[in-house]
């Protein structure tokens, strides 16, 4: 016995309320007598009279309430039941890019699907089946169902995508689903991956029925397309490198073609020894546009035979320097003159107004923080102690750099960050939106020396130290100059017309304000779909187009995934690949204790009680009327 | 008319009020035993002729035998004035389940029928509480004939039991203003201290009324355990409250006090030759009228 809804227990207080109502009624109710003549002799007993004594009516009403509350509590009693129950089976099928590899006249995925179908057809009719597909993320295609035809149909509708795989996660999900209700079940894995690439314990591996498909390793693919062009370089200065890798265990030949806006820039035949790679350099581009690197070869996997990149046009960028220090103005002027496409505007803090700044500018505030918000990416250098953004807590001298985030774009190629000359710095209060880039430490806390973040939709960087006179262009302080240039590059806003490069399997987040309303996505296969969320899943290589009333954009999706392209992965251990076969199990007779709720019975009891009361009062009424 | 239907009235036709001493001044249909008059129907005795006697009533046969002038005299026939004093205080209406006042009204109706059926005058006097200078009673129009009977239940239907009991004051006030005493039925629960009702009844007797007392009791009064076990009692007349838990001992105390009160009234009536009847509301009215009141000597069969 127990209850399923203990939250309704406070309702029992209603019984107490009923007692109070009765007590109140008793205290309030007067019994009219014709005279106190005879009662004045009888001793008064207030305490006994006021005491609660249940009457038949009270007991009936309490019973009625108890029945109703009992119903709300959802009481249950345990009942031993024996049922015939089928076994549980969970199918995990790999839908990653490598499953598209051709095996003779068919695809690996078709082989896996055929095996999965055979397995499903061998199940007993009472067996429950779940289907999970795995690419970069697992997806429960169907929950546990006895409808085997539905599973077969869903298997037919599955297609492999152009992404990597995370089979471990899929198997972990299957294991979790299997153990969720404490019932055992069999997990079947259909993939082209060897078991040794899985990060699963040997015990878990033993529990799997592992069906590995695919034997060929015949694949040549574009392993990388690097385009070297910084924001201050024109397309003519850009240089592209195409890396082509042979994943087969035998030499392969092919032709690499590089086209810019469909115009051929390079066509080169190549022969690659077994499991070797080579790179091709392309430069001297004549204009901006779409760059395609494509190889023509006879291999099993086609989707990695092409890669896309975008060659950007050089745009003039304006740096607005707001500083009252003449020495710094001169140094920044010298630096800007050396950077093509960078236009410098120098303002003193007194002459600065937010209206002077355009969204595509970069603003450098030196020892000055404006009170109004600036609608552009900005760098604050050595802000004055009293300022609204980063109030100074203390002053520091001869600070040593102890930590930095070397993966950040602003510190790229900076090997000697700790060599920055920091004679004087301010200890600034770190805003909530900022992340520390370079830091030192005191005995008690971290001291941020440089930090970055995004505020009001614009990038913000802040140096807590000063770019003193002669520091920036001094040949001894190359680290500082590189940090400054990297910062300018990081702060330079991206060209909204430039396509975004996204690896397949990753999600593209729509920029703020773009919104999914009326936004449509045209996939590389030419399929158009409406975007419902702020995230676009990229699972095909090629060019995606986003069109909407508030946003237009292009995405280039490439598959640079060596494990996926290496379709002939072999077991590194000496164990041979074995196809585990699981014999079909008969349905099991299961005896278990199940809770049987009887709240409804209590409701019926309450209704019956009311009916009986009503009939009784009706009978009494008729009897009285007749009398 | 409630329980008073034609069958019941036919039963009442067989009854009359037993009268001992009361008589009226007007000639009527009630023969007064041992009382003579010079004319009439029922021969009573002879008397010596005196000048002025009606010659028509000289019995010549007796003159022949006795050689003396004798005149026949007859049994006197007078009308008897009846008074029904009905207590309408709040105590007659409580407890509600007893319906004492309804019962008393029906009883008064039945007695009224018996009276007017004999062509005697009937006055219904309702004992109430004094109100703005008015006396503590209400008097219904005199009923002199059977055909007037229907006015009685109509008048009784307008009454509602309310206010305190002013039995003594009401009877005194009415007796003082009435010149012709008669038979007085006093219908009440008599829930008063003994000196109060004794004074009232003695006063009536002193004024020449032939008093007949009918005490109406409710079933819940006789057995209060039917009414409650525990509770706050409320006196409907003076508003007093009392918390009572009805244990056996308490019940015995109550019954003792009630019985003493009943006995006191009964003994008082017996001592002062007042006919007394005690009726309970749970008894059938027919039984009360035809059996209990006749047994008590208030009524008799014709």
């Amino acid at each position: 016995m127990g209850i399923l809804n203990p939250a309704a227990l406070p309702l029992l207080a209603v019984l107490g309320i009923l007692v109070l109502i009765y007590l109140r009624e008793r205290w309030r109710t007067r019994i009219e007598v014709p005279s106190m003549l005879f009662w004045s002799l009888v001793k008064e007993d207030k305490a006994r009279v006021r005491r609660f004594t249940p009457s038949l009516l009270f007991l009936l009403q309490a019973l009625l309430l108890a029945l109703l509350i009992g119903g709300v509590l959802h009481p249950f009693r345990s009942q031993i039941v024996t049922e015939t129950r089928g076994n549980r089976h969970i199918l995990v099928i790999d839908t990653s890019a490598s499953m598209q590899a051709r095996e003779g006249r068919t695809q690996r995925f078709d082989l896996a699907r055929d095996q999965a179908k055979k397995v499903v057809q061998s199940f007993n009719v009472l067996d429950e089946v779940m289907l999970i597909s795995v690419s970069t993320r697992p997806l429960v295609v169907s929950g546990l169902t006895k409808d085997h035809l539905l599973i077969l149909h869903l298997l037919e509708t599955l297609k492999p995508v152009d992404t990597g795989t995370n089979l471990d996660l899929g198997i972990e999900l299957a294991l979790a689903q299997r153990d969720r209700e404490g019932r055992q079940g069999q997990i079947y894995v259909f993939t082209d991956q060897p078991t040794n690439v899985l990060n699963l314990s040997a015990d878990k591996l033993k529990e799997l029925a592992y069906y590995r498909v695919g034997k060929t390793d015949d694949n040549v693919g574009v392993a990388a397309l690097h385009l070297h062009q910084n924001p201050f370089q024109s397309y003519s200065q850009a240089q592209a490198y195409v890396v082509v890798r042979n994943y087969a265990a035998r030499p392969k030949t092919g032709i690499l073609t590089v086209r810019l806006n469909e115009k051929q820039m390079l066509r080169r035949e190549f022969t690659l020894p077994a499991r070797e790679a080579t790179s091709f350099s392309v430069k001297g581009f004549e204009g901006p546009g779409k760059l395609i690197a494509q190889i023509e070869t006879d291999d099993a996997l086609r989707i990695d035979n092409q890669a896309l990149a975008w060659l950007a046009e050089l745009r003039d960028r304006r740096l607005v320097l707001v500083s009252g220090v003449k020495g710094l103005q001169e140094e920044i002027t010298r630096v800007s003159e050396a950077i093509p496409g960078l236009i410098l505007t120098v303002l003193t803090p007194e002459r600065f107004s937010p209206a002077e700044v355009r969204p595509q500018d970069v603003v450098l505030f030196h020892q000055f923080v404006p009170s109004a918000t600036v609608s552009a990416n900005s760098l604050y250098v050595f802000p004055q102690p009293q300022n609204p953004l980063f109030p100074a807590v203390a002053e520091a001298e001869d600070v040593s750099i102890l930590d930095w985030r070397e993966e950040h774009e602003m510190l790229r190629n900076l090997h000697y960050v700790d060599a920055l000359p920091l004679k004087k710095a301010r200890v600034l209060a770190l805003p909530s939106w900022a992340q520390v880039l370079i830091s030192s430490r005191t005995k008690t806390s971290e001291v941020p020396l440089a930090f970055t973040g995004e505020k009001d939709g614009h990038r913000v960087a802040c140096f807590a130290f000063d770019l003193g006179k002669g520091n920036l262009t001094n040949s001894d302080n190359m680290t500082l100059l590189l940090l400054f240039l990297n910062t300018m590059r990081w702060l330079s806003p991206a060209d909204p017309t430039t396509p975004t490069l996204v690896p397949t399997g990753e999600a593209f987040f729509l920029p703020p304000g773009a919104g999914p309303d009326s936004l449509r996505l045209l996939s590389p296969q030419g399929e158009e779909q409406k975007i419902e969320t702020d995230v676009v899943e990229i699972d095909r290589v090629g060019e995606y187009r986003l069109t909407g009333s508030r946003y237009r954009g292009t995405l280039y999706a490439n598959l640079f995934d060596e494990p996926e392209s290496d379709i002939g992965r072999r077991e590194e251990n000496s164990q041979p690949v074995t196809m585990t076969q699981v014999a079909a199990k008969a349905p099991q007779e299961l005896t278990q204790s199940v809770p049987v709720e009887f709240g409804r019975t209590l409701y019926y009891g309450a209704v019956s009680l009311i009916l009986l009361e009503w009939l009784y009062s009706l009978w009494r009424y008729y009897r009285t009327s007749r009398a | 008319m409630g329980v008073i239907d034609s069958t019941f009235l036919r039963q009442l036709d067989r009854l009359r009020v037993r009268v001992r001493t009361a008589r009226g001044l007007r000639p009527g249909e009630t023969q007064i035993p041992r009382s003579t008059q010079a004319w009439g129907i029922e021969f009573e005795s002879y008397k010596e002729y005196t000048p002025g006697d009606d010659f028509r009533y000289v019995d010549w046969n007796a003159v022949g035998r006795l050689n003396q002038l004798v005149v026949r005299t007859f049994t006197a026939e007078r009308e008897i004035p009846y008074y029904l004093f009905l207590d309408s205080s709040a105590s007659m209406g409580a407890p509600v389940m007893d319906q004492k006042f309804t019962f008393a009204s029906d009883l008064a109706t039945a007695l009224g029928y018996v009276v007017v059926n004999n062509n005697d005058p009937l006055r219904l006097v309702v004992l109430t509480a004094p109100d703005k200078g008015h006396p503590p009673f209400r008097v219904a129009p005199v009923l002199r004939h059977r055909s007037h009977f229907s006015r009685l239940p109509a008048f009784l239907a307008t009454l509602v039991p309310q206010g305190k009991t002013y039995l003594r004051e009401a009877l005194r006030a009415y007796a003082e203003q009435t010149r012709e005493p008669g038979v007085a039925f006093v219908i009440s629960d008599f829930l008063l201290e003994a000196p109060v009702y004794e004074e009232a009844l003695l006063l009536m007797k002193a004024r020449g009324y032939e008093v007949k007392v009918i005490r109406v009791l409710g079933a819940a009064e006789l057995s209060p355990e039917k009414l409650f076990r525990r509770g706050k009692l409320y006196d409907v007349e003076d508003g007093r409250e009392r918390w009572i838990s009805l244990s056996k001992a308490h019940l015995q105390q109550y019954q003792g006090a009630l019985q003493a009160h009943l006995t006191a009234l009964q003994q008082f009536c017996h001592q002062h030759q007042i006919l007394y009847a005690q009726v309970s509301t749970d008894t059938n009215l027919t039984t009360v009228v035809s059996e209990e009141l006749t047994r008590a000597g208030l009524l008799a069969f014709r």
Side-chain angles (χ1 to χ4, degrees), chain A residues 241-258:
Chain A
Y241 293 94
V242 184
V243 180
V244 179
R245 181 175 290 278
N246 175 17
Y247 297 98
R250 60 189 174 86
K252 292 286 291 181
T253 59
I255 302 167
L256 169 71
T257 311
V258 178

Side-chain angles (χ1 to χ4, degrees), chain A residues 27-46 48-50 53, chain B residues 91 94 191 193 221 228 230-236 240-245 250 254 257-258 261:
Chain A
W27 297 350
R28 208 170 60 89
T29 306
R30 299 184 307 191
I31 300 160
E32 290 188 347
V33 291
S35 172
M36 283 291 170
L37 202 60
F38 315 124
W39 293 113
S40 55
L41 298 174
V42 178
K43 191 185 169 191
E44 198 172 20
D45 192 351
K46 211 169 188 173
R48 189 184 287 268
V49 175
R50 292 172 75 118
T53 43
Chain B
S91 66
L191 292 176
E193 295 290 346
E221 276 178 287
F228 76 103
R230 288 172 187 172
K232 182 169 64 175
L233 302 191
Y234 173 74
D235 188 329
V236 292
R240 277 187 297 162
E241 289 181 350
R242 201 165 175 82
W243 297 80
I244 298 293
S245 171
H250 290 161
Y254 172 86
L258 173 67
H261 196 269

Side-chain angles (χ1 to χ4, degrees), chain A residues 225-231 233-242 281-283 285 291 309-312 412 489:
Chain A
L225 171 58
H226 294 299
L227 182 63
H228 295 281
Q229 183 190 20
N230 69 43
Q233 280 183 323
S234 72
Y235 50 81
S236 58
Q237 294 170 297
Q239 193 166 3
Y241 293 94
V242 184
S281 169
V282 188
K283 54 185 176 181
F285 297 107
L291 191 67
W310 179 259
L311 203 60
R412 189 177 290 169
R489 181 175 176 169

Side-chain angles (χ1 to χ4, degrees), chain A residues 9 81 164 220 231 234 272 392 410 424 546 626:
Chain A
L9 276 173
V81 294
V220 178
S234 72
L272 281 172
M410 277 170 60
K424 202 174 175 187
L546 281 160
R626 198 172 292 175

Side-chain angles (χ1 to χ4, degrees), chain A residues 567-594:
Chain A
I567 57 175
R569 289 160 287 195
R570 286 173 174 74
E571 297 273 4
E572 288 177 1
N573 299 337
S574 55
Q575 296 171 346
V577 175
T578 53
M579 302 273 276
T580 311
Q581 294 291 342
V582 178
K585 287 182 186 172
Q588 16 181 330
E589 287 279 325
L590 199 69
T591 302
Q592 60 176 354
S593 169
V594 294

Side-chain angles (χ1 to χ4, degrees), chain A residues 132-175:
Chain A
I132 296 173
S133 70
V134 188
S135 51
T136 43
R137 280 178 290 279
L139 174 72
V140 178
V141 181
S142 166
L144 283 166
T145 176
K146 289 177 185 171
D147 189 351
H148 299 176
L149 286 175
L150 173 70
I151 297 291
L152 291 172
H153 170 72
L154 290 171
L155 276 169
E156 277 298 331
T157 57
L158 279 181
K159 284 179 182 170
V161 291
D162 304 346
T163 69
T165 185
N166 196 344
L167 197 58
D168 291 336
L169 201 59
I171 294 172
E172 290 288 357
L173 175 65
L175 287 166

